[in-house]
Amino acid sequence: MGKIVGIDLGTTFSAIAELDDLGNPEVLSDPENNNRITRSAVYIGRDKAIVGDKAVDAAVTNKKNTILEVKSQMENEVVWSTKEGGWIEKEGKKDIKGYVPSQISSIILSKLKDYTSGVKKAVVTVPAMFAEAARSATLDAAKLAKLDVELINEPTAAVLHYANLPGASVNGRVLIFDLGGGTFDITIANVKGKKVDVITSVGDKHLGGRRFDEEIINILDKKYKKAKSKGLDNPLKDEKLFTIAERIKKILSNKDKATEIIEGPKGPHKIDVSRKEFEDSIDTYIEKIKMLMEEALERADCKANNISQTLLVGGCTRMPVISQVITKIMKKAPVKGVNVDEAVACGAAIYAGLQNKDSLNTAQRKAISNVELNDVCNFYMGTLALTIDQERNMAVQYNDTVIPRDTKLPCSITKTYTVVSDGQKAIDCSVTQSEGEEKDVEFVNLISNEPLELSKNAKAGDPIEVTYSYDSSGKMHCIFEDKKSKKKHEINLKPIGSKDFKELKDNLDFEIE
Ligand code: AMP
């Protein structure tokens, strides 16, 4: 029987964990350098792909072949072109040579999988607010890496880890604050012993440490320009500067000032960055964080004093300003003590055990015997329907919610619509996704739109049944059924226009280092 693992496939760093013989999650290290977290960076060579720090080093000299932050592209129809050295939108263009996000992610997963042997099944984590297309692309990536995978939301995995700590004192209604390298999620959940019931999640897919690094680079650029009368060359495209900025950010988590020598077009220059300067520069992000905390409380229909603990996850929660903001809003300091870089992978390993109990030994099964997890759907999932505007006597399209946000998983909801006119040939099986409840078609994301032919003698009023279901791991299935002809159309959500699996496999014959 193959091994089962949990994988935190992060924007900037990734980690893999498994349950040890006693059922405790254990992070696996890269056997080459003993690192417990691996940079989610990929260098693509002629017949070799390199993952990790070495790939970041390669980005300095060979930018075009090095892909960073692939996770932020998972929902997009883009191709990394090594000729152009960037992401190219596929829309309308045929056969662009390169790699789609799921292929790049599969290289990272293959690397992590090799930290141990015999891995067959995995739970891979995704941001709570990851769109369906991005989830689907992540599943493709896992399949390409020859992994049988289920997904779990990152903050959900983290709370599972917190709830399972030996002698854990996490109890009641908790807020999980997850600020990583590329994404920010807040989840509110009820924890009772080892039972976790998620209530709601909110987040921002583009808020994280990398944005903070950009702000530090802007400070360095301004200071360099002031001293040397010339700014740095294309600073936000310079990976060496990102490495320096990240170092400064980390130093500023412990000290009031960081100093670095910056190489620029007018020679080297020594630059100081104070914590105050850094915090001022990320002020708009901090405001967004505060707003999302308020939104999470509102969605969970509770006040700060109803939250027993705020649990930290993600490397950027080490920044002092984050603890200050949390303490101000929640009127209590956050809980410290777990390794914020590893909590998500550890929670994923626990969930992997829970979903594959047959693969566990007696001690492991006992360790997780009381663990229970109930998650929710993080978006409004709907379909486009027609209604008659009586005044104008014409059909107008509107978005109708099928599964509301925060519905408990697993779930299956069926709604019945009707054929609009006699002799209608087909209907559009459209699937929409939105963060808020929306009627206006302009404000929803159309994630699938495929036709279903109706029977020849279709009549106005014939019923069309639409069933949306989520399994407990958050995977969605949609069925549109013409009840008269019993014809069904089933939708597998994929990024619109994405390649089929066989094609994905074709240009991925790499040795991975
Ligand atoms: P994660 O996605 O959870 O692995 O978090 C990675 C992010 O955390 C990166 O942007 C890191 O630069 C950032 N990070 C890690 N350690 C620290 C620290 N001590 N202070 C500030 N940011 C940090």
PDB file of all heavy atoms in Angstrom, residues 8 10-14 37 178-183 208-210 212-213 246 249-254 278 313-320 340-342 344, ligand 1:
ATOM      1  N   ASP A   8       1.419  21.229   1.361  1.00  0.00           N
ATOM      2  CA  ASP A   8       1.070  22.650   1.312  1.00  0.00           C
ATOM      3  C   ASP A   8       1.764  23.206   0.071  1.00  0.00           C
ATOM      4  O   ASP A   8       2.969  23.433   0.074  1.00  0.00           O
ATOM      5  CB  ASP A   8       1.574  23.322   2.600  1.00  0.00           C
ATOM      6  CG  ASP A   8       1.462  24.847   2.549  1.00  0.00           C
ATOM      7  OD1 ASP A   8       0.898  25.364   1.566  1.00  0.00           O
ATOM      8  OD2 ASP A   8       1.946  25.501   3.497  1.00  0.00           O
ATOM      9  N   GLY A  10       2.429  26.065  -1.706  1.00  0.00           N
ATOM     10  CA  GLY A  10       2.310  27.504  -1.464  1.00  0.00           C
ATOM     11  C   GLY A  10       2.766  28.364  -2.632  1.00  0.00           C
ATOM     12  O   GLY A  10       3.410  27.876  -3.564  1.00  0.00           O
ATOM     13  N   THR A  11       2.438  29.659  -2.563  1.00  0.00           N
ATOM     14  CA  THR A  11       2.839  30.586  -3.626  1.00  0.00           C
ATOM     15  C   THR A  11       4.360  30.771  -3.622  1.00  0.00           C
ATOM     16  O   THR A  11       4.998  30.766  -4.673  1.00  0.00           O
ATOM     17  CB  THR A  11       2.186  31.966  -3.419  1.00  0.00           C
ATOM     18  OG1 THR A  11       0.816  31.770  -3.157  1.00  0.00           O
ATOM     19  CG2 THR A  11       2.364  32.860  -4.628  1.00  0.00           C
ATOM     20  N   THR A  12       4.918  30.930  -2.426  1.00  0.00           N
ATOM     21  CA  THR A  12       6.366  31.151  -2.366  1.00  0.00           C
ATOM     22  C   THR A  12       7.120  29.952  -1.779  1.00  0.00           C
ATOM     23  O   THR A  12       8.261  29.709  -2.138  1.00  0.00           O
ATOM     24  CB  THR A  12       6.704  32.402  -1.548  1.00  0.00           C
ATOM     25  OG1 THR A  12       5.976  32.345  -0.327  1.00  0.00           O
ATOM     26  CG2 THR A  12       6.341  33.669  -2.286  1.00  0.00           C
ATOM     27  N   PHE A  13       6.484  29.238  -0.840  1.00  0.00           N
ATOM     28  CA  PHE A  13       7.117  28.054  -0.243  1.00  0.00           C
ATOM     29  C   PHE A  13       6.125  26.898  -0.192  1.00  0.00           C
ATOM     30  O   PHE A  13       4.922  27.128  -0.023  1.00  0.00           O
ATOM     31  CB  PHE A  13       7.562  28.346   1.198  1.00  0.00           C
ATOM     32  CG  PHE A  13       8.739  29.263   1.287  1.00  0.00           C
ATOM     33  CD1 PHE A  13       8.565  30.627   1.452  1.00  0.00           C
ATOM     34  CD2 PHE A  13      10.032  28.761   1.189  1.00  0.00           C
ATOM     35  CE1 PHE A  13       9.657  31.480   1.519  1.00  0.00           C
ATOM     36  CE2 PHE A  13      11.122  29.612   1.256  1.00  0.00           C
ATOM     37  CZ  PHE A  13      10.943  30.971   1.425  1.00  0.00           C
ATOM     38  N   SER A  14       6.636  25.680  -0.307  1.00  0.00           N
ATOM     39  CA  SER A  14       5.790  24.495  -0.193  1.00  0.00           C
ATOM     40  C   SER A  14       6.381  23.556   0.850  1.00  0.00           C
ATOM     41  O   SER A  14       7.575  23.632   1.160  1.00  0.00           O
ATOM     42  CB  SER A  14       5.700  23.769  -1.536  1.00  0.00           C
ATOM     43  OG  SER A  14       5.053  24.587  -2.480  1.00  0.00           O
ATOM     44  N   ILE A  37      11.066  23.539   4.335  1.00  0.00           N
ATOM     45  CA  ILE A  37      10.177  24.195   3.375  1.00  0.00           C
ATOM     46  C   ILE A  37      10.981  24.446   2.093  1.00  0.00           C
ATOM     47  O   ILE A  37      12.183  24.691   2.141  1.00  0.00           O
ATOM     48  CB  ILE A  37       9.533  25.504   3.916  1.00  0.00           C
ATOM     49  CG1 ILE A  37      10.579  26.491   4.399  1.00  0.00           C
ATOM     50  CG2 ILE A  37       8.517  25.217   4.983  1.00  0.00           C
ATOM     51  CD1 ILE A  37       9.999  27.849   4.791  1.00  0.00           C
ATOM     52  N   ASP A 178      -4.415  33.547   8.190  1.00  0.00           N
ATOM     53  CA  ASP A 178      -3.405  32.877   7.367  1.00  0.00           C
ATOM     54  C   ASP A 178      -2.821  33.845   6.338  1.00  0.00           C
ATOM     55  O   ASP A 178      -3.427  34.112   5.301  1.00  0.00           O
ATOM     56  CB  ASP A 178      -4.082  31.676   6.673  1.00  0.00           C
ATOM     57  CG  ASP A 178      -3.110  30.868   5.815  1.00  0.00           C
ATOM     58  OD1 ASP A 178      -1.925  31.241   5.732  1.00  0.00           O
ATOM     59  OD2 ASP A 178      -3.538  29.854   5.228  1.00  0.00           O
ATOM     60  N   LEU A 179      -1.641  34.380   6.644  1.00  0.00           N
ATOM     61  CA  LEU A 179      -1.002  35.346   5.748  1.00  0.00           C
ATOM     62  C   LEU A 179       0.332  34.766   5.275  1.00  0.00           C
ATOM     63  O   LEU A 179       1.311  34.727   6.021  1.00  0.00           O
ATOM     64  CB  LEU A 179      -0.794  36.683   6.477  1.00  0.00           C
ATOM     65  CG  LEU A 179      -0.229  37.834   5.654  1.00  0.00           C
ATOM     66  CD1 LEU A 179      -1.115  38.190   4.469  1.00  0.00           C
ATOM     67  CD2 LEU A 179      -0.048  39.074   6.533  1.00  0.00           C
ATOM     68  N   GLY A 180       0.327  34.297   4.022  1.00  0.00           N
ATOM     69  CA  GLY A 180       1.525  33.639   3.484  1.00  0.00           C
ATOM     70  C   GLY A 180       2.270  34.518   2.508  1.00  0.00           C
ATOM     71  O   GLY A 180       2.186  35.748   2.567  1.00  0.00           O
ATOM     72  N   GLY A 181       2.940  33.872   1.555  1.00  0.00           N
ATOM     73  CA  GLY A 181       3.747  34.604   0.591  1.00  0.00           C
ATOM     74  C   GLY A 181       2.912  35.251  -0.504  1.00  0.00           C
ATOM     75  O   GLY A 181       3.295  36.269  -1.067  1.00  0.00           O
ATOM     76  N   GLY A 182       1.780  34.637  -0.832  1.00  0.00           N
ATOM     77  CA  GLY A 182       0.998  35.169  -1.945  1.00  0.00           C
ATOM     78  C   GLY A 182      -0.467  35.379  -1.659  1.00  0.00           C
ATOM     79  O   GLY A 182      -1.139  36.120  -2.373  1.00  0.00           O
ATOM     80  N   THR A 183      -0.997  34.712  -0.643  1.00  0.00           N
ATOM     81  CA  THR A 183      -2.444  34.806  -0.396  1.00  0.00           C
ATOM     82  C   THR A 183      -2.745  35.061   1.077  1.00  0.00           C
ATOM     83  O   THR A 183      -1.932  34.763   1.962  1.00  0.00           O
ATOM     84  CB  THR A 183      -3.153  33.489  -0.808  1.00  0.00           C
ATOM     85  OG1 THR A 183      -2.563  32.411  -0.102  1.00  0.00           O
ATOM     86  CG2 THR A 183      -3.059  33.243  -2.302  1.00  0.00           C
ATOM     87  N   GLY A 208      -0.021  39.169   0.097  1.00  0.00           N
ATOM     88  CA  GLY A 208       0.910  38.327   0.847  1.00  0.00           C
ATOM     89  C   GLY A 208       2.311  38.912   0.826  1.00  0.00           C
ATOM     90  O   GLY A 208       2.529  40.030   0.349  1.00  0.00           O
ATOM     91  N   GLY A 209       3.246  38.133   1.325  1.00  0.00           N
ATOM     92  CA  GLY A 209       4.614  38.598   1.527  1.00  0.00           C
ATOM     93  C   GLY A 209       5.292  39.154   0.289  1.00  0.00           C
ATOM     94  O   GLY A 209       6.087  40.088   0.376  1.00  0.00           O
ATOM     95  N   ARG A 210       4.982  38.557  -0.855  1.00  0.00           N
ATOM     96  CA  ARG A 210       5.637  39.027  -2.088  1.00  0.00           C
ATOM     97  C   ARG A 210       5.251  40.489  -2.372  1.00  0.00           C
ATOM     98  O   ARG A 210       6.058  41.267  -2.844  1.00  0.00           O
ATOM     99  CB  ARG A 210       5.196  38.093  -3.220  1.00  0.00           C
ATOM    100  CG  ARG A 210       5.838  38.342  -4.536  1.00  0.00           C
ATOM    101  CD  ARG A 210       7.160  37.631  -4.721  1.00  0.00           C
ATOM    102  NE  ARG A 210       7.667  37.876  -6.069  1.00  0.00           N
ATOM    103  CZ  ARG A 210       8.860  37.539  -6.498  1.00  0.00           C
ATOM    104  NH1 ARG A 210       9.707  36.945  -5.698  1.00  0.00           N
ATOM    105  NH2 ARG A 210       9.247  37.805  -7.727  1.00  0.00           N
ATOM    106  N   PHE A 212       4.596  42.674  -0.077  1.00  0.00           N
ATOM    107  CA  PHE A 212       5.350  43.478   0.888  1.00  0.00           C
ATOM    108  C   PHE A 212       6.794  43.656   0.401  1.00  0.00           C
ATOM    109  O   PHE A 212       7.383  44.728   0.551  1.00  0.00           O
ATOM    110  CB  PHE A 212       5.342  42.825   2.286  1.00  0.00           C
ATOM    111  CG  PHE A 212       3.960  42.519   2.817  1.00  0.00           C
ATOM    112  CD1 PHE A 212       3.767  41.527   3.776  1.00  0.00           C
ATOM    113  CD2 PHE A 212       2.843  43.224   2.369  1.00  0.00           C
ATOM    114  CE1 PHE A 212       2.500  41.236   4.257  1.00  0.00           C
ATOM    115  CE2 PHE A 212       1.573  42.943   2.856  1.00  0.00           C
ATOM    116  CZ  PHE A 212       1.405  41.945   3.791  1.00  0.00           C
ATOM    117  N   ASP A 213       7.341  42.575  -0.191  1.00  0.00           N
ATOM    118  CA  ASP A 213       8.716  42.669  -0.730  1.00  0.00           C
ATOM    119  C   ASP A 213       8.772  43.750  -1.810  1.00  0.00           C
ATOM    120  O   ASP A 213       9.748  44.498  -1.907  1.00  0.00           O
ATOM    121  CB  ASP A 213       9.161  41.325  -1.322  1.00  0.00           C
ATOM    122  CG  ASP A 213       9.168  40.196  -0.288  1.00  0.00           C
ATOM    123  OD1 ASP A 213       9.159  40.514   0.920  1.00  0.00           O
ATOM    124  OD2 ASP A 213       9.161  39.023  -0.688  1.00  0.00           O
ATOM    125  N   GLU A 246      13.252  40.526   0.810  1.00  0.00           N
ATOM    126  CA  GLU A 246      12.684  39.533   1.726  1.00  0.00           C
ATOM    127  C   GLU A 246      13.517  39.452   3.004  1.00  0.00           C
ATOM    128  O   GLU A 246      12.995  39.359   4.115  1.00  0.00           O
ATOM    129  CB  GLU A 246      12.603  38.169   1.034  1.00  0.00           C
ATOM    130  CG  GLU A 246      11.775  37.200   1.859  1.00  0.00           C
ATOM    131  CD  GLU A 246      11.771  35.779   1.322  1.00  0.00           C
ATOM    132  OE1 GLU A 246      12.605  35.444   0.461  1.00  0.00           O
ATOM    133  OE2 GLU A 246      10.928  35.004   1.787  1.00  0.00           O
ATOM    134  N   LYS A 249      12.686  42.405   5.105  1.00  0.00           N
ATOM    135  CA  LYS A 249      11.372  42.205   5.742  1.00  0.00           C
ATOM    136  C   LYS A 249      11.511  41.304   6.973  1.00  0.00           C
ATOM    137  O   LYS A 249      10.949  41.607   8.030  1.00  0.00           O
ATOM    138  CB  LYS A 249      10.418  41.568   4.714  1.00  0.00           C
ATOM    139  CG  LYS A 249       9.039  41.248   5.226  1.00  0.00           C
ATOM    140  CD  LYS A 249       8.193  40.591   4.134  1.00  0.00           C
ATOM    141  CE  LYS A 249       8.729  39.212   3.770  1.00  0.00           C
ATOM    142  NZ  LYS A 249       7.965  38.543   2.727  1.00  0.00           N
ATOM    143  N   LYS A 250      12.272  40.225   6.824  1.00  0.00           N
ATOM    144  CA  LYS A 250      12.423  39.296   7.953  1.00  0.00           C
ATOM    145  C   LYS A 250      13.196  39.945   9.104  1.00  0.00           C
ATOM    146  O   LYS A 250      12.837  39.766  10.267  1.00  0.00           O
ATOM    147  CB  LYS A 250      13.126  38.018   7.492  1.00  0.00           C
ATOM    148  CG  LYS A 250      12.235  37.151   6.618  1.00  0.00           C
ATOM    149  CD  LYS A 250      12.962  35.877   6.251  1.00  0.00           C
ATOM    150  CE  LYS A 250      12.088  34.973   5.415  1.00  0.00           C
ATOM    151  NZ  LYS A 250      12.810  33.816   4.906  1.00  0.00           N
ATOM    152  N   ILE A 251      14.244  40.700   8.762  1.00  0.00           N
ATOM    153  CA  ILE A 251      15.016  41.384   9.827  1.00  0.00           C
ATOM    154  C   ILE A 251      14.098  42.340  10.575  1.00  0.00           C
ATOM    155  O   ILE A 251      14.119  42.433  11.817  1.00  0.00           O
ATOM    156  CB  ILE A 251      16.237  42.132   9.228  1.00  0.00           C
ATOM    157  CG1 ILE A 251      17.247  41.122   8.695  1.00  0.00           C
ATOM    158  CG2 ILE A 251      16.890  43.062  10.267  1.00  0.00           C
ATOM    159  CD1 ILE A 251      18.392  41.727   7.892  1.00  0.00           C
ATOM    160  N   LEU A 252      13.229  43.051   9.816  1.00  0.00           N
ATOM    161  CA  LEU A 252      12.353  44.049  10.445  1.00  0.00           C
ATOM    162  C   LEU A 252      11.271  43.408  11.335  1.00  0.00           C
ATOM    163  O   LEU A 252      10.585  44.098  12.076  1.00  0.00           O
ATOM    164  CB  LEU A 252      11.708  44.952   9.379  1.00  0.00           C
ATOM    165  CG  LEU A 252      12.694  45.865   8.635  1.00  0.00           C
ATOM    166  CD1 LEU A 252      11.991  46.667   7.549  1.00  0.00           C
ATOM    167  CD2 LEU A 252      13.424  46.808   9.606  1.00  0.00           C
ATOM    168  N   SER A 253      11.146  42.085  11.258  1.00  0.00           N
ATOM    169  CA  SER A 253      10.233  41.420  12.197  1.00  0.00           C
ATOM    170  C   SER A 253      10.857  41.343  13.587  1.00  0.00           C
ATOM    171  O   SER A 253      10.164  41.139  14.583  1.00  0.00           O
ATOM    172  CB  SER A 253       9.898  40.000  11.716  1.00  0.00           C
ATOM    173  OG  SER A 253       9.085  40.078  10.572  1.00  0.00           O
ATOM    174  N   ASN A 254      12.191  41.501  13.654  1.00  0.00           N
ATOM    175  CA  ASN A 254      12.879  41.419  14.949  1.00  0.00           C
ATOM    176  C   ASN A 254      13.572  42.711  15.366  1.00  0.00           C
ATOM    177  O   ASN A 254      13.841  42.922  16.533  1.00  0.00           O
ATOM    178  CB  ASN A 254      13.950  40.320  14.900  1.00  0.00           C
ATOM    179  CG  ASN A 254      13.326  38.960  14.763  1.00  0.00           C
ATOM    180  OD1 ASN A 254      12.383  38.638  15.465  1.00  0.00           O
ATOM    181  ND2 ASN A 254      13.808  38.186  13.820  1.00  0.00           N
ATOM    182  N   PHE A 278       8.780  50.721   6.513  1.00  0.00           N
ATOM    183  CA  PHE A 278       8.189  49.532   5.888  1.00  0.00           C
ATOM    184  C   PHE A 278       6.686  49.459   6.198  1.00  0.00           C
ATOM    185  O   PHE A 278       5.856  49.274   5.301  1.00  0.00           O
ATOM    186  CB  PHE A 278       8.924  48.281   6.398  1.00  0.00           C
ATOM    187  CG  PHE A 278       8.243  46.986   6.034  1.00  0.00           C
ATOM    188  CD1 PHE A 278       7.866  46.728   4.716  1.00  0.00           C
ATOM    189  CD2 PHE A 278       7.972  46.015   7.001  1.00  0.00           C
ATOM    190  CE1 PHE A 278       7.227  45.529   4.376  1.00  0.00           C
ATOM    191  CE2 PHE A 278       7.336  44.827   6.662  1.00  0.00           C
ATOM    192  CZ  PHE A 278       6.962  44.585   5.351  1.00  0.00           C
ATOM    193  N   VAL A 313      -1.198  31.512  11.073  1.00  0.00           N
ATOM    194  CA  VAL A 313      -0.621  30.610  10.077  1.00  0.00           C
ATOM    195  C   VAL A 313       0.034  31.472   9.001  1.00  0.00           C
ATOM    196  O   VAL A 313      -0.466  32.547   8.674  1.00  0.00           O
ATOM    197  CB  VAL A 313      -1.722  29.768   9.372  1.00  0.00           C
ATOM    198  CG1 VAL A 313      -1.084  28.653   8.567  1.00  0.00           C
ATOM    199  CG2 VAL A 313      -2.740  29.245  10.342  1.00  0.00           C
ATOM    200  N   GLY A 314       1.151  30.974   8.416  1.00  0.00           N
ATOM    201  CA  GLY A 314       1.796  31.700   7.314  1.00  0.00           C
ATOM    202  C   GLY A 314       2.944  32.554   7.819  1.00  0.00           C
ATOM    203  O   GLY A 314       2.853  33.198   8.876  1.00  0.00           O
ATOM    204  N   GLY A 315       4.030  32.560   7.027  1.00  0.00           N
ATOM    205  CA  GLY A 315       5.269  33.223   7.432  1.00  0.00           C
ATOM    206  C   GLY A 315       5.117  34.697   7.776  1.00  0.00           C
ATOM    207  O   GLY A 315       5.810  35.210   8.664  1.00  0.00           O
ATOM    208  N   CYS A 316       4.204  35.407   7.096  1.00  0.00           N
ATOM    209  CA  CYS A 316       4.092  36.851   7.322  1.00  0.00           C
ATOM    210  C   CYS A 316       3.412  37.203   8.634  1.00  0.00           C
ATOM    211  O   CYS A 316       3.393  38.384   9.021  1.00  0.00           O
ATOM    212  CB  CYS A 316       3.345  37.509   6.151  1.00  0.00           C
ATOM    213  SG  CYS A 316       4.361  37.550   4.686  1.00  0.00           S
ATOM    214  N   THR A 317       2.846  36.218   9.333  1.00  0.00           N
ATOM    215  CA  THR A 317       2.253  36.532  10.642  1.00  0.00           C
ATOM    216  C   THR A 317       3.346  36.794  11.685  1.00  0.00           C
ATOM    217  O   THR A 317       3.058  37.177  12.805  1.00  0.00           O
ATOM    218  CB  THR A 317       1.322  35.399  11.132  1.00  0.00           C
ATOM    219  OG1 THR A 317       2.073  34.183  11.163  1.00  0.00           O
ATOM    220  CG2 THR A 317       0.116  35.239  10.227  1.00  0.00           C
ATOM    221  N   ARG A 318       4.619  36.613  11.282  1.00  0.00           N
ATOM    222  CA  ARG A 318       5.717  36.963  12.199  1.00  0.00           C
ATOM    223  C   ARG A 318       5.949  38.472  12.239  1.00  0.00           C
ATOM    224  O   ARG A 318       6.713  38.963  13.065  1.00  0.00           O
ATOM    225  CB  ARG A 318       7.012  36.273  11.753  1.00  0.00           C
ATOM    226  CG  ARG A 318       6.968  34.763  11.869  1.00  0.00           C
ATOM    227  CD  ARG A 318       8.370  34.192  11.748  1.00  0.00           C
ATOM    228  NE  ARG A 318       8.351  32.746  11.846  1.00  0.00           N
ATOM    229  CZ  ARG A 318       8.294  31.936  10.789  1.00  0.00           C
ATOM    230  NH1 ARG A 318       8.267  32.430   9.571  1.00  0.00           N
ATOM    231  NH2 ARG A 318       8.287  30.635  10.957  1.00  0.00           N
ATOM    232  N   MET A 319       5.330  39.208  11.341  1.00  0.00           N
ATOM    233  CA  MET A 319       5.531  40.659  11.323  1.00  0.00           C
ATOM    234  C   MET A 319       4.805  41.276  12.518  1.00  0.00           C
ATOM    235  O   MET A 319       3.609  41.035  12.716  1.00  0.00           O
ATOM    236  CB  MET A 319       4.992  41.255  10.008  1.00  0.00           C
ATOM    237  CG  MET A 319       5.874  40.943   8.827  1.00  0.00           C
ATOM    238  SD  MET A 319       5.107  41.133   7.194  1.00  0.00           S
ATOM    239  CE  MET A 319       4.120  42.558   7.368  1.00  0.00           C
ATOM    240  N   PRO A 320       5.506  42.104  13.324  1.00  0.00           N
ATOM    241  CA  PRO A 320       4.872  42.655  14.538  1.00  0.00           C
ATOM    242  C   PRO A 320       3.580  43.408  14.248  1.00  0.00           C
ATOM    243  O   PRO A 320       2.643  43.345  15.043  1.00  0.00           O
ATOM    244  CB  PRO A 320       5.945  43.598  15.099  1.00  0.00           C
ATOM    245  CG  PRO A 320       7.214  43.148  14.491  1.00  0.00           C
ATOM    246  CD  PRO A 320       6.918  42.494  13.189  1.00  0.00           C
ATOM    247  N   VAL A 340       4.453  28.446  12.141  1.00  0.00           N
ATOM    248  CA  VAL A 340       3.469  28.992  11.197  1.00  0.00           C
ATOM    249  C   VAL A 340       3.754  28.600   9.744  1.00  0.00           C
ATOM    250  O   VAL A 340       2.875  28.688   8.900  1.00  0.00           O
ATOM    251  CB  VAL A 340       3.347  30.534  11.319  1.00  0.00           C
ATOM    252  CG1 VAL A 340       2.725  30.926  12.633  1.00  0.00           C
ATOM    253  CG2 VAL A 340       4.698  31.218  11.107  1.00  0.00           C
ATOM    254  N   ASP A 341       4.994  28.160   9.457  1.00  0.00           N
ATOM    255  CA  ASP A 341       5.321  27.737   8.087  1.00  0.00           C
ATOM    256  C   ASP A 341       4.842  26.309   7.818  1.00  0.00           C
ATOM    257  O   ASP A 341       4.734  25.898   6.668  1.00  0.00           O
ATOM    258  CB  ASP A 341       6.843  27.749   7.850  1.00  0.00           C
ATOM    259  CG  ASP A 341       7.429  29.134   8.020  1.00  0.00           C
ATOM    260  OD1 ASP A 341       6.787  30.097   7.590  1.00  0.00           O
ATOM    261  OD2 ASP A 341       8.526  29.236   8.599  1.00  0.00           O
ATOM    262  N   GLU A 342       4.638  25.547   8.891  1.00  0.00           N
ATOM    263  CA  GLU A 342       4.404  24.112   8.705  1.00  0.00           C
ATOM    264  C   GLU A 342       2.999  23.668   9.062  1.00  0.00           C
ATOM    265  O   GLU A 342       2.591  22.539   8.764  1.00  0.00           O
ATOM    266  CB  GLU A 342       5.428  23.325   9.543  1.00  0.00           C
ATOM    267  CG  GLU A 342       6.862  23.592   9.118  1.00  0.00           C
ATOM    268  CD  GLU A 342       7.888  22.865   9.974  1.00  0.00           C
ATOM    269  OE1 GLU A 342       7.476  22.222  10.971  1.00  0.00           O
ATOM    270  OE2 GLU A 342       9.082  22.948   9.647  1.00  0.00           O
ATOM    271  N   VAL A 344       0.037  24.255   7.954  1.00  0.00           N
ATOM    272  CA  VAL A 344      -0.874  23.861   6.875  1.00  0.00           C
ATOM    273  C   VAL A 344      -0.530  22.446   6.371  1.00  0.00           C
ATOM    274  O   VAL A 344      -1.423  21.601   6.219  1.00  0.00           O
ATOM    275  CB  VAL A 344      -0.834  24.908   5.732  1.00  0.00           C
ATOM    276  CG1 VAL A 344      -1.568  24.391   4.505  1.00  0.00           C
ATOM    277  CG2 VAL A 344      -1.459  26.217   6.200  1.00  0.00           C
TER     278      VAL A 344
HETATM  279  P1  AMP B   1       4.207  30.887   3.638  1.00  0.00           P
HETATM  280  O1  AMP B   1       3.461  31.081   2.338  1.00  0.00           O
HETATM  281  O2  AMP B   1       3.365  30.640   4.797  1.00  0.00           O
HETATM  282  O3  AMP B   1       5.335  29.904   3.486  1.00  0.00           O
HETATM  283  O4  AMP B   1       4.896  32.299   3.952  1.00  0.00           O
HETATM  284  C1  AMP B   1       5.940  32.758   3.198  1.00  0.00           C
HETATM  285  C2  AMP B   1       6.047  34.231   3.386  1.00  0.00           C
HETATM  286  O5  AMP B   1       6.346  34.519   4.751  1.00  0.00           O
HETATM  287  C3  AMP B   1       7.163  34.818   2.541  1.00  0.00           C
HETATM  288  O6  AMP B   1       6.731  36.034   1.958  1.00  0.00           O
HETATM  289  C4  AMP B   1       8.244  35.073   3.584  1.00  0.00           C
HETATM  290  O7  AMP B   1       9.103  36.127   3.195  1.00  0.00           O
HETATM  291  C5  AMP B   1       7.411  35.456   4.788  1.00  0.00           C
HETATM  292  N1  AMP B   1       8.150  35.333   6.057  1.00  0.00           N
HETATM  293  C6  AMP B   1       8.772  34.250   6.540  1.00  0.00           C
HETATM  294  N2  AMP B   1       9.389  34.556   7.708  1.00  0.00           N
HETATM  295  C7  AMP B   1       9.123  35.861   7.965  1.00  0.00           C
HETATM  296  C8  AMP B   1       9.480  36.771   9.007  1.00  0.00           C
HETATM  297  N3  AMP B   1      10.266  36.400  10.020  1.00  0.00           N
HETATM  298  N4  AMP B   1       9.016  38.051   8.930  1.00  0.00           N
HETATM  299  C9  AMP B   1       8.256  38.452   7.895  1.00  0.00           C
HETATM  300  N5  AMP B   1       7.891  37.646   6.885  1.00  0.00           N
HETATM  301  C10 AMP B   1       8.325  36.363   6.905  1.00  0.00           C
END
